[in-house]
DNA sequence: GTTGTTGCAAACTGTTTGCATAGTA
DNA sequence: TACTATGCAAACAGTTTGCAACAAC
């Protein structure tokens, strides 16, 4: 269960487990694989713990993001959404140059929660994902291709 | 060249081409495939057109997003970033259930600019991309698998 | 007892809106 | 001319911060 993972992440990093943090952890776990806004979490928390403060929720979520147990994305509306980070699901991004064929892995921080949210919306429980980006790397662009289009600085 | 595409999108949709909109279009084109914040664009605009207003920049960008010529993403900081939408590059997302094998396409609005930004940061000129999401669809979950983990509503 | 944590209120930042003025088609 | 677009200032929403009171270890 995920609430334990959160609490362990806290205590094993020498953070104190207050009842507020416990409550936040519990309610995050309740959300399952669903993303939630701070306001949503705060409302559902306040229903059970009227004394909890909004600031604490913000701070706890920040902390958990730093600890790597949850992730943060910003939706179209610019509002932050959080969700449990599923450890099993990794989004492997492959960056491949279609000229020289050079392929290398790439880390995109925001990608996993975005895909996870999209999958959740389609009622799909995500287990793995794979992204392949094809393009032309800088070296090949310099060596072979004249860029075309607008050249910044040309005005 | 992209500035023409922007201006045509405006006039063909019965929007007036003011000098402000022209200026915004020109400076968007200058940014190339780079994402930019409103503030960045505004600063570079103000250098050439001191009389332009921040509100107008916001409104023009909103308009261009609606018209589909540029896209908006929100970075880690929650600040909106805009960029030309490259018409040739489409991000095909395939959603596949690994139990029943059912595969269907999925549209993820925010995905393209995100990948494009990541590619740009790696100095890669993106030409195409492909995303495959594997998971378990809702039907298969109901029929075969007992969910495991936290069941929302169980408390 | 010490040090980290909380909650309030106030500050902040990016974005949106109301309204009178100016400019386009 | 008719009606859209602009710019200012003020409102707004989400998030962050300072600080005194409090609680975990």
């Amino acid at each position: 269960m995920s609430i334990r993972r959160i609490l362990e992440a806290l205590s094993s990093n020498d953070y104190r487990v207050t009842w507020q943090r416990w409550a936040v952890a519990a309610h995050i776990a309740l959300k399952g694989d669903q993303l939630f806004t701070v306001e949503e979490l705060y409302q559902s928390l306040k229903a059970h713990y009227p004394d909890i403060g909004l600031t604490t929720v913000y701070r706890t979520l920040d902390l958990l993001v730093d600890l790597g147990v949850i992730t943060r994305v910003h939706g179209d509306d610019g509002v932050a959404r959080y969700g449990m980070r599923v450890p099993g699901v990794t989004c492997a991004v492959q960056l491949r140059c279609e000229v020289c064929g050079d392929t290398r892995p790439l880390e995109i921080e925001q990608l996993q929660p975005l895909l996870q949210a999209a999958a959740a919306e389609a009622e799909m429980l995500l287990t793995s994902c794979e992204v392949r980006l094809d393009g032309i790397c800088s070296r090949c662009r310099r060596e072979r291709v004249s860029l075309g289009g607008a050249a910044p600085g040309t005005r």
Side-chain angles (χ1 to χ4, degrees), chain A:
Chain A
M1 229 188 128
S2 41
I3 176 173
R4 184 176 306 169
R5 244 184 66 226
I6 302 178
L7 298 178
E8 267 169 18
L10 283 172
S11 54
S12 68
N13 283 80
D14 285 330
Y15 290 105
R16 296 181 180 169
V17 179
T18 61
W19 66 263
Q20 290 95 333
R21 286 177 176 171
W22 192 95
V24 169
H27 279 247
I28 289 176
L30 274 181
K31 299 284 181 183
D33 55 355
Q34 223 179 7
L35 292 190
F36 52 86
T37 65
V38 173
E39 195 57 30
E40 284 162 9
L41 186 67
Y42 179 55
Q43 290 309 330
S44 93
L45 274 166
K46 238 186 12 184
H48 297 265
Y49 313 89
D51 289 342
I52 203 164
L54 180 57
T55 313
T56 301
V57 178
Y58 271 107
R59 282 195 278 231
T60 305
L61 289 175
D62 275 0
L63 182 57
L64 294 179
V65 168
D66 282 349
L67 291 177
V69 268
I70 63 174
T71 40
R72 189 202 338 255
V73 246
H74 292 269
D76 303 35
D77 50 3
V79 180
R81 273 155 226 278
Y82 299 80
M84 276 305 282
R85 193 157 131 191
V86 185
V89 182
T90 336
C91 293
V93 179
Q94 294 220 337
L95 203 55
R96 186 176 141 269
C97 174
E98 56 185 25
V99 176
C100 65
D102 182 54
T103 306
R104 56 193 160 120
L106 184 67
E107 185 92 13
I108 307 180
E109 196 57 50
Q110 296 235 288
L111 190 59
Q112 183 180 318
L114 179 65
L115 295 179
Q116 217 161 293
E121 201 165 315
E123 298 206 306
M124 174 80 87
L125 182 66
L126 205 61
T127 55
S128 79
C129 51
E130 198 186 302
V131 179
R132 227 198 47 221
L133 301 182
D134 291 336
I136 306 173
C137 71
S138 54
R139 200 193 320 154
C140 289
R141 278 213 305 280
R142 267 195 299 275
E143 284 178 9
R144 309 199 191 184
V145 193
S146 76
L147 251 162
T154 311
R155 247 218 124 232

